[in-house]
Amino acid sequence: MAIYNAEAIVIRVRDFDEADKVAVLLTREEGKVQAIARGARRSRNRYAAAMQLFTQVKVQLYHGRSMDTLSQAEITESFRHLREDLVRMAYGAYVCELMDEMIRERQRHESPYLLLLTTLHLLNELDMEPEPIRRAYELKLFSMLGFRPSLEECVACGGSVGTGPQVRFAPVLGGVLCPTCPSEGEVVHRLARGTLETMKRLLDGDIRKAHMIKITGEMAVELDRVMTDYVGHRMERKLKSKEFLDSLK
Ligand SMILES: [Zn+2]
Protein backbone atom coordinates (compact mmCIF):
# COMPACT_ATOMS: atom_id res chain seq x y z
CA MET A 1 0.00 0.00 0.00
CA ALA A 2 1.26 3.45 -0.89
CA ILE A 3 1.81 5.90 1.90
CA TYR A 4 1.76 9.64 1.42
CA ASN A 5 2.13 12.76 3.52
CA ALA A 6 -0.12 15.77 3.21
CA GLU A 7 -1.02 19.11 4.70
CA ALA A 8 -4.77 19.18 5.23
CA ILE A 9 -7.82 20.92 6.64
CA VAL A 10 -10.66 18.83 8.09
CA ILE A 11 -13.73 20.07 6.20
CA ARG A 12 -16.23 17.41 7.32
CA VAL A 13 -16.19 14.65 9.87
CA ARG A 14 -18.68 11.95 10.80
CA ASP A 15 -18.83 8.98 13.12
CA PHE A 16 -18.24 5.62 11.52
CA ASP A 17 -18.83 2.29 13.21
CA GLU A 18 -18.46 2.16 16.96
CA ALA A 19 -15.05 3.65 17.37
CA ASP A 20 -13.98 5.26 14.10
CA LYS A 21 -14.47 8.52 12.28
CA VAL A 22 -14.43 9.34 8.62
CA ALA A 23 -12.97 12.73 7.80
CA VAL A 24 -13.16 14.62 4.56
CA LEU A 25 -9.81 16.33 4.19
CA LEU A 26 -8.92 19.13 1.82
CA THR A 27 -5.24 18.50 1.24
CA ARG A 28 -2.71 20.78 -0.35
CA GLU A 29 -1.16 17.96 -2.37
CA GLU A 30 -4.00 15.63 -3.37
CA GLY A 31 -7.10 17.80 -3.30
CA LYS A 32 -10.14 16.46 -1.44
CA VAL A 33 -9.81 12.97 0.04
CA GLN A 34 -11.78 10.85 2.47
CA ALA A 35 -9.93 9.14 5.27
CA ILE A 36 -10.87 6.76 8.02
CA ALA A 37 -9.40 7.50 11.46
CA ARG A 38 -9.40 4.30 13.45
CA GLY A 39 -10.49 4.72 17.04
CA ALA A 40 -11.00 8.48 16.71
CA ARG A 41 -14.36 8.41 18.50
CA ARG A 42 -12.57 7.47 21.70
CA SER A 43 -11.50 10.59 23.55
CA ARG A 44 -8.02 9.33 24.39
CA ASN A 45 -7.32 8.17 20.86
CA ARG A 46 -4.33 9.88 19.22
CA TYR A 47 -6.48 11.11 16.32
CA ALA A 48 -9.40 12.38 18.43
CA ALA A 49 -8.23 15.99 18.75
CA ALA A 50 -6.91 16.25 15.22
CA MET A 51 -10.00 14.95 13.47
CA GLN A 52 -12.24 17.89 14.28
CA LEU A 53 -13.86 20.34 11.91
CA PHE A 54 -11.62 23.28 10.84
CA THR A 55 -8.40 21.75 12.18
CA GLN A 56 -5.31 22.15 10.03
CA VAL A 57 -3.19 19.01 10.27
CA LYS A 58 -0.14 17.31 8.91
CA VAL A 59 -1.18 13.78 8.07
CA GLN A 60 0.21 10.53 6.79
CA LEU A 61 -2.24 8.37 4.87
CA TYR A 62 -2.38 4.95 3.24
CA HIS A 63 -4.04 4.90 -0.14
CA GLY A 64 -7.16 2.75 -0.06
CA ARG A 65 -9.56 1.64 -2.75
CA SER A 66 -12.60 3.61 -1.64
CA MET A 67 -11.11 5.53 1.24
CA ASP A 68 -7.65 6.28 2.62
CA THR A 69 -6.57 5.34 6.13
CA LEU A 70 -5.01 7.78 8.54
CA SER A 71 -1.74 6.59 10.02
CA GLN A 72 -0.41 9.84 11.55
CA ALA A 73 -1.91 13.21 12.38
CA GLU A 74 -0.36 16.25 13.96
CA ILE A 75 -2.26 19.48 14.59
CA THR A 76 -0.78 22.59 12.97
CA GLU A 77 -3.59 25.01 13.84
CA SER A 78 -6.82 24.41 15.71
CA PHE A 79 -8.53 27.81 15.10
CA ARG A 80 -9.60 28.25 18.69
CA HIS A 81 -11.96 31.20 18.14
CA LEU A 82 -13.91 29.28 15.53
CA ARG A 83 -14.75 26.82 18.30
CA GLU A 84 -15.46 29.30 21.09
CA ASP A 85 -17.51 31.92 19.28
CA LEU A 86 -20.82 30.68 17.90
CA VAL A 87 -21.05 33.22 15.08
CA ARG A 88 -17.49 32.56 13.94
CA MET A 89 -18.13 28.84 14.18
CA ALA A 90 -21.13 29.25 11.88
CA TYR A 91 -19.02 31.14 9.33
CA GLY A 92 -16.27 28.53 9.57
CA ALA A 93 -18.74 25.70 9.07
CA TYR A 94 -20.20 27.49 6.06
CA VAL A 95 -16.90 28.03 4.24
CA CYS A 96 -15.93 24.39 4.84
CA GLU A 97 -19.27 23.01 3.68
CA LEU A 98 -19.26 25.22 0.58
CA MET A 99 -15.80 23.90 -0.31
CA ASP A 100 -16.86 20.32 0.28
CA GLU A 101 -19.90 20.74 -1.91
CA MET A 102 -18.12 22.54 -4.74
CA ILE A 103 -15.07 20.39 -5.34
CA ARG A 104 -14.73 16.79 -6.39
CA GLU A 105 -12.25 14.33 -4.93
CA ARG A 106 -8.62 14.11 -6.04
CA GLN A 107 -8.48 17.27 -8.05
CA ARG A 108 -4.98 18.42 -7.48
CA HIS A 109 -5.25 22.18 -7.27
CA GLU A 110 -3.46 23.93 -4.49
CA SER A 111 -5.37 27.21 -4.75
CA PRO A 112 -8.67 26.14 -3.08
CA TYR A 113 -6.66 24.81 -0.13
CA LEU A 114 -4.75 28.07 0.24
CA LEU A 115 -7.93 30.13 -0.07
CA LEU A 116 -9.70 28.10 2.62
CA LEU A 117 -6.68 28.24 4.93
CA THR A 118 -6.39 32.02 4.60
CA THR A 119 -10.14 32.41 5.11
CA LEU A 120 -10.16 30.32 8.30
CA HIS A 121 -7.25 32.36 9.67
CA LEU A 122 -9.15 35.59 8.96
CA LEU A 123 -12.43 34.33 10.45
CA ASN A 124 -10.45 33.30 13.54
CA GLU A 125 -9.37 36.92 14.15
CA LEU A 126 -11.76 38.39 16.71
CA ASP A 127 -11.34 41.98 15.53
CA MET A 128 -12.23 41.19 11.93
CA GLU A 129 -15.78 41.50 10.62
CA PRO A 130 -16.61 38.04 9.18
CA GLU A 131 -19.33 38.94 6.65
CA PRO A 132 -17.12 40.61 3.98
CA ILE A 133 -14.54 37.83 4.41
CA ARG A 134 -17.21 35.24 3.65
CA ARG A 135 -18.43 37.18 0.59
CA ALA A 136 -14.89 37.52 -0.76
CA TYR A 137 -14.35 33.80 -0.18
CA GLU A 138 -17.52 32.86 -2.09
CA LEU A 139 -16.66 35.06 -5.06
CA LYS A 140 -13.02 33.97 -5.18
CA LEU A 141 -13.82 30.28 -4.80
CA PHE A 142 -16.43 30.36 -7.55
CA SER A 143 -14.07 32.29 -9.77
CA MET A 144 -11.32 29.71 -9.13
CA LEU A 145 -13.67 26.88 -10.07
CA GLY A 146 -14.70 28.42 -13.38
CA PHE A 147 -17.78 30.40 -12.30
CA ARG A 148 -16.36 33.88 -12.27
CA PRO A 149 -19.29 36.33 -12.35
CA SER A 150 -19.26 38.95 -15.08
CA LEU A 151 -19.29 42.25 -13.20
CA GLU A 152 -17.71 44.56 -15.77
CA GLU A 153 -19.55 43.76 -19.00
CA CYS A 154 -23.00 42.47 -19.88
CA VAL A 155 -23.02 38.69 -19.45
CA ALA A 156 -25.21 38.28 -22.54
CA CYS A 157 -23.68 40.63 -25.14
CA GLY A 158 -20.41 41.83 -23.63
CA GLY A 159 -21.58 45.43 -23.90
CA SER A 160 -21.38 48.22 -21.36
CA VAL A 161 -23.78 48.15 -18.41
CA GLY A 162 -24.00 51.92 -18.55
CA THR A 163 -23.60 54.45 -15.76
CA GLY A 164 -27.06 54.47 -14.22
CA PRO A 165 -27.61 54.28 -10.46
CA GLN A 166 -28.75 50.66 -10.71
CA VAL A 167 -27.70 47.59 -12.66
CA ARG A 168 -29.45 44.28 -13.26
CA PHE A 169 -27.74 41.09 -12.15
CA ALA A 170 -28.92 37.66 -13.34
CA PRO A 171 -27.51 34.98 -10.99
CA VAL A 172 -28.35 32.08 -13.30
CA LEU A 173 -26.71 33.74 -16.31
CA GLY A 174 -23.75 34.61 -14.11
CA GLY A 175 -23.45 38.36 -14.22
CA VAL A 176 -24.74 41.84 -14.94
CA LEU A 177 -26.93 42.78 -17.90
CA CYS A 178 -26.75 45.90 -20.05
CA PRO A 179 -29.91 48.06 -20.27
CA THR A 180 -31.02 46.45 -23.56
CA CYS A 181 -30.43 42.69 -23.15
CA PRO A 182 -33.43 40.63 -22.02
CA SER A 183 -33.08 38.43 -18.96
CA GLU A 184 -34.09 35.26 -20.86
CA GLY A 185 -36.83 34.66 -18.33
CA GLU A 186 -34.33 34.29 -15.49
CA VAL A 187 -34.64 35.97 -12.13
CA VAL A 188 -32.97 39.36 -12.13
CA HIS A 189 -31.91 41.37 -9.10
CA ARG A 190 -31.44 45.10 -9.11
CA LEU A 191 -28.21 46.24 -7.56
CA ALA A 192 -27.22 49.74 -6.57
CA ARG A 193 -24.06 50.88 -8.34
CA GLY A 194 -22.26 50.90 -4.97
CA THR A 195 -23.14 47.26 -4.34
CA LEU A 196 -21.71 46.28 -7.72
CA GLU A 197 -18.50 48.20 -6.99
CA THR A 198 -18.24 46.42 -3.63
CA MET A 199 -18.64 43.05 -5.35
CA LYS A 200 -15.77 43.92 -7.69
CA ARG A 201 -13.53 44.80 -4.74
CA LEU A 202 -14.46 41.57 -2.95
CA LEU A 203 -13.83 39.51 -6.07
CA ASP A 204 -10.48 40.97 -7.11
CA GLY A 205 -9.10 42.60 -3.97
CA ASP A 206 -6.85 41.01 -1.36
CA ILE A 207 -9.03 38.87 0.92
CA ARG A 208 -6.81 39.81 3.86
CA LYS A 209 -8.19 43.34 3.55
CA ALA A 210 -11.82 42.31 2.93
CA HIS A 211 -12.78 42.88 6.58
CA MET A 212 -12.31 46.63 6.02
CA ILE A 213 -15.06 46.73 3.39
CA LYS A 214 -18.30 47.93 4.91
CA ILE A 215 -21.33 45.84 4.03
CA THR A 216 -24.35 47.24 5.84
CA GLY A 217 -28.01 48.11 5.40
CA GLU A 218 -29.43 47.92 1.91
CA MET A 219 -26.14 46.74 0.43
CA ALA A 220 -26.06 43.74 2.77
CA VAL A 221 -29.61 42.84 1.74
CA GLU A 222 -28.87 43.16 -1.98
CA LEU A 223 -25.64 41.20 -1.76
CA ASP A 224 -27.27 38.45 0.24
CA ARG A 225 -30.08 38.10 -2.29
CA VAL A 226 -27.68 37.95 -5.23
CA MET A 227 -25.12 35.66 -3.64
CA THR A 228 -27.73 33.28 -2.24
CA ASP A 229 -29.05 32.77 -5.77
CA TYR A 230 -25.64 32.77 -7.41
CA VAL A 231 -24.23 30.17 -5.02
CA GLY A 232 -27.47 28.23 -4.64
CA HIS A 233 -27.94 27.78 -8.37
CA ARG A 234 -24.57 26.01 -8.65
CA MET A 235 -25.26 23.65 -5.79
CA GLU A 236 -27.23 20.42 -5.73
CA ARG A 237 -28.63 20.86 -2.26
CA LYS A 238 -29.14 23.47 0.40
CA LEU A 239 -26.26 23.88 2.79
CA LYS A 240 -27.13 23.13 6.42
CA SER A 241 -24.50 25.56 7.60
CA LYS A 242 -26.09 28.37 5.59
CA GLU A 243 -29.42 27.88 7.32
CA PHE A 244 -27.63 27.95 10.65
CA LEU A 245 -25.69 31.08 9.73
CA ASP A 246 -28.88 32.82 8.53
CA SER A 247 -30.66 31.88 11.75
CA LEU A 248 -27.99 33.67 13.80
CA LYS A 249 -28.38 36.95 11.92
ZN1 LIG B 1 -26.21 43.09 -23.15
Side-chain angles (χ1 to χ4, degrees):
M1 268 193 296
I3 294 182
Y4 65 98
N5 293 300
E7 219 181 90
I9 299 163
V10 180
I11 58 171
R12 178 157 51 102
V13 65
R14 63 184 163 91
D15 292 342
F16 186 73
D17 288 343
E18 265 171 47
D20 306 337
K21 282 190 177 185
V22 169
V24 177
L25 304 173
L26 184 69
T27 72
R28 186 172 189 153
E29 297 81 358
E30 296 284 319
K32 185 169 94 169
V33 301
Q34 286 206 58
I36 183 157
R38 302 262 180 229
R41 291 185 66 186
R42 302 206 168 98
S43 58
R44 294 176 67 184
N45 178 272
R46 63 197 171 116
Y47 304 135
M51 289 301 109
Q52 292 191 50
L53 191 60
F54 316 130
T55 312
Q56 186 195 11
V57 280
K58 278 191 178 138
V59 289
Q60 188 173 73
L61 297 152
Y62 286 101
H63 263 301
R65 204 171 298 163
S66 64
M67 220 186 281
D68 295 351
T69 302
L70 196 66
S71 66
Q72 273 179 37
E74 186 192 320
I75 298 175
T76 309
E77 173 63 60
S78 61
F79 299 109
R80 189 162 65 92
H81 299 308
L82 298 186
R83 293 168 208 291
E84 293 174 352
D85 179 310
L86 190 64
V87 172
R88 284 177 193 277
M89 181 187 291
Y91 276 103
Y94 174 75
V95 296
C96 286
E97 191 180 9
L98 186 63
M99 179 66 77
D100 186 24
E101 192 66 15
M102 286 303 294
I103 66 166
R104 282 173 284 154
E105 290 188 23
R106 305 272 177 200
Q107 290 191 312
R108 291 184 190 167
H109 299 303
E110 195 183 43
S111 45
Y113 173 83
L114 295 176
L115 175 64
L116 181 62
L117 183 62
T118 302
T119 302
L120 291 175
H121 273 291
L122 296 171
L123 293 174
N124 194 50
E125 293 293 329
L126 291 180
D127 59 346
M128 288 194 185
E129 183 56 48
E131 182 68 8
I133 297 168
R134 165 263 190 110
R135 293 298 179 205
Y137 171 82
E138 289 173 326
L139 286 162
K140 286 174 184 295
L141 177 64
F142 273 62
S143 181
M144 222 172 244
L145 300 176
F147 303 110
R148 184 184 166 88
S150 177
L151 302 180
E152 301 286 346
E153 293 111 23
C154 171
V155 67
C157 74
S160 163
V161 293
T163 53
Q166 284 195 327
V167 283
R168 293 178 302 148
F169 186 98
V172 173
L173 301 178
V176 288
L177 289 166
C178 69
T180 50
C181 275
S183 60
E184 309 292 346
E186 301 296 350
V187 172
V188 164
H189 298 291
R190 290 195 178 275
L191 294 180
R193 177 67 55 176
T195 305
L196 178 65
E197 295 306 321
T198 296
M199 279 179 83
K200 289 181 193 171
R201 285 172 70 198
L202 292 166
L203 175 62
D204 289 323
D206 183 346
I207 194 170
R208 285 166 295 186
K209 293 184 181 153
H211 67 280
M212 294 190 275
I213 298 174
K214 293 268 171 291
I215 300 179
T216 49
E218 194 54 36
M219 183 187 287
V221 175
E222 285 183 354
L223 254 183
D224 190 59
R225 226 179 270 149
V226 165
M227 291 307 296
T228 297
D229 276 9
Y230 192 70
V231 171
H233 176 68
R234 284 153 186 90
M235 206 85 55
E236 289 186 356
R237 59 179 184 86
K238 281 198 171 146
L239 302 185
K240 275 186 237 154
S241 58
K242 173 156 194 319
E243 284 170 30
F244 180 52
L245 185 56
D246 288 347
S247 75
L248 291 178
K249 285 187 184 175

